Amino acid sequence: MEYEYIKMIPKLSMENPLEMARYYNDCGADEIAFFDSAATREGREPNIALIKEIAKATDIPLLVCGGIKNLEDAKKVLYAGAAKVCLKSAVIANPNIVKEIAERFGSDRIIVTIDLDQKDSVEWAKKVQALGAGQLLLLGSEEKSYKKAARQITQAVKIPVIVSILYDTAHGVAAMLEDTDADAISLYTEELVDIMEVKQVCALEHLNVNTFESALSFDTFKTDGHGLVPTVVQHYKTGEVLMVAYMNEESFAKTIETGRMTYYSRSRQTLWTKGETSGHYQFVKSLQIDCDKDTILAKVSQIGPACHTGSPTCFFTDLVRKEYDDTNPLTVFEDVFQVILDRREHPKDGSYTNYLFNKGIDKILKKVGEEITEIVIAAKNPDSDELKYEISDFLYHIMVLMAERGLSWKDITDELAERR
């Protein structure tokens, strides 16, 4: 198993892990790492609630380390949304835990930490690889000996190796990768790092990192008389159209380089990066060109409102409107689920949803069971209208159960996606 490119994996601060996770999710990190060292030190379980929050707020893989002592702990962390678990002391106490987790979830879900300050670190790395570890994370205290030992391990094993560094400069990251020949690097710092900037430096050093690269050069686009291409900006998850702006060749190149939407202002006749004064950045998720190559469609992660008026979108003034059914079947489940969550946070007198929450899990499960029975009965009826109502009742009660147990539609759709 090899990585397609060298991965940048920033470590989340224990002070504000959720905020950092959201930032790194947008600004170019390939994965993020949550190290709950206090869990191991204090002998407690991993912080499952926080892991769930981080996983729900991000799209990139989450690596979790700390407090994982056995297969059951690993299962809880992975079910909470982590893509990978990382173990150290648990493996030292029971090396077979690597095999147990690998057999249950696959080698690619387990990382083993190797202490390079130990004399037998190379042999230990070979042993955990044989047991089923999919990746190794190398830790050590002294930089010069660290690099030497790290290179010995990257040459001795056939699985991806992650080196770590206390982040100082992008050039330091590039040097560490060159000196160790590692497959990924974990960045330790309490400050937010511009990962795209680090990647650009690494690319200049001919390291294979994952940066944006346009499939077509700007000179193949059809521009207006001023060298501009209109750009329609859309939220990458909701599909909502946020704004329209213009790009020239320079702003397009800067957008590709930084991963932040940069435009050309026709009124000021200068480049402007969206959010550079307001903080309402637009992070690139994808850029597409239309069939005539004269309009760009940008799908972005929008921070804050897109419009300078404070509106989420610039398109809020109706000119003509005819009444129509704009119900979107792809969003109805999430909309109803959000209402259920709101009822839980802000109880309302007479609310049936609050009645179920107040009665607790047994009552909710009883209703789910009853609705399943009603579906079976209705399915025997030639008239499908009754079945429609019973399925709707069932789905509502399932969503109440999901809210009660801390699940979301993202959890469900992610699981279904893996089964395709």
Side-chain angles (χ1 to χ4, degrees), residues 56-114:
K56 288 177 182 177
T58 55
D59 304 311
I60 56 179
L62 169 63
L63 181 163
V64 173
C65 182
I68 304 171
K69 302 178 288 296
N70 49 47
L71 176 60
E72 187 62 27
D73 288 337
K75 183 167 69 172
K76 290 178 182 177
V77 169
L78 293 171
Y79 285 175
K84 305 171 186 178
V85 293
C86 182
L87 304 99
K88 181 183 178 183
S89 55
V91 180
I92 295 173
N94 175 26
N96 283 330
I97 188 177
V98 177
K99 185 177 180 181
E100 292 173 8
I101 297 175
E103 288 179 348
R104 176 66 176 83
F105 295 102
S107 293
D108 60 329
R109 308 293 295 276
I110 181 169
I111 302 171
V112 174
T113 298
I114 304 296

Side-chain angles (χ1 to χ4, degrees), residues 170-209:
H171 290 285
V173 172
M176 175 65 79
L177 290 169
E178 287 182 316
D179 291 343
T180 60
D181 198 27
D183 303 278
I185 187 164
S186 178
L187 311 179
Y188 291 73
T189 176
E190 296 295 315
E191 304 297 324
L192 295 176
V193 178
D194 189 333
I195 301 296
M196 289 299 290
E197 185 177 292
V198 175
K199 287 184 175 182
Q200 291 297 331
V201 171
C202 290
L204 290 174
E205 298 296 329
H206 307 291
L207 294 167
N208 181 27
V209 290

Side-chain angles (χ1 to χ4, degrees), residues 178-333:
E178 287 182 316
D179 291 343
T180 60
D181 198 27
D183 303 278
I185 187 164
S186 178
L187 311 179
Y188 291 73
T189 176
E190 296 295 315
E191 304 297 324
L192 295 176
V193 178
D194 189 333
I195 301 296
M196 289 299 290
E197 185 177 292
V198 175
K199 287 184 175 182
Q200 291 297 331
V201 171
C202 290
L204 290 174
E205 298 296 329
H206 307 291
L207 294 167
N208 181 27
V209 290
N210 184 26
T211 56
F212 288 122
E213 184 175 344
S214 178
L216 298 175
S217 61
F218 191 87
D219 58 19
T220 64
F221 302 165
K222 293 180 183 177
T223 61
D224 65 11
H226 303 286
L228 301 176
V229 176
T231 303
V232 179
V233 186
Q234 189 178 31
H235 193 283
Y236 82 112
K237 282 193 174 179
T238 67
E240 183 175 32
V241 177
L242 303 175
M243 57 179 281
V244 175
Y246 289 83
M247 281 187 172
N248 64 5
E249 186 169 8
E250 187 180 359
S251 68
F252 181 76
K254 187 174 181 182
T255 296
I256 295 295
E257 177 185 343
T258 64
R260 304 182 191 216
M261 293 301 296
T262 302
Y263 307 103
Y264 181 79
S265 171
R266 294 173 297 169
S267 59
R268 300 194 305 270
Q269 295 189 334
T270 186
L271 298 190
W272 63 286
T273 297
K274 175 69 174 174
E276 60 188 349
T277 56
S278 66
H280 299 155
Y281 290 103
Q282 292 174 343
F283 291 96
V284 178
K285 294 300 181 179
S286 71
L287 298 175
Q288 295 170 297
I289 194 78
D290 74 332
C291 57
D292 294 321
K293 295 186 176 62
D294 61 5
T295 304
I296 294 172
L297 174 63
K299 295 184 179 181
V300 306
S301 174
Q302 173 72 55
I303 306 301
C307 184
H308 71 281
T309 65
S311 173
T313 169
C314 293
F315 295 93
F316 56 84
T317 304
D318 285 341
L319 297 178
V320 176
R321 173 175 286 274
K322 182 177 181 179
E323 293 304 318
Y324 58 91
D325 181 5
D326 60 354
T327 302
N328 184 342
L330 299 178
T331 62
V332 167
F333 286 150

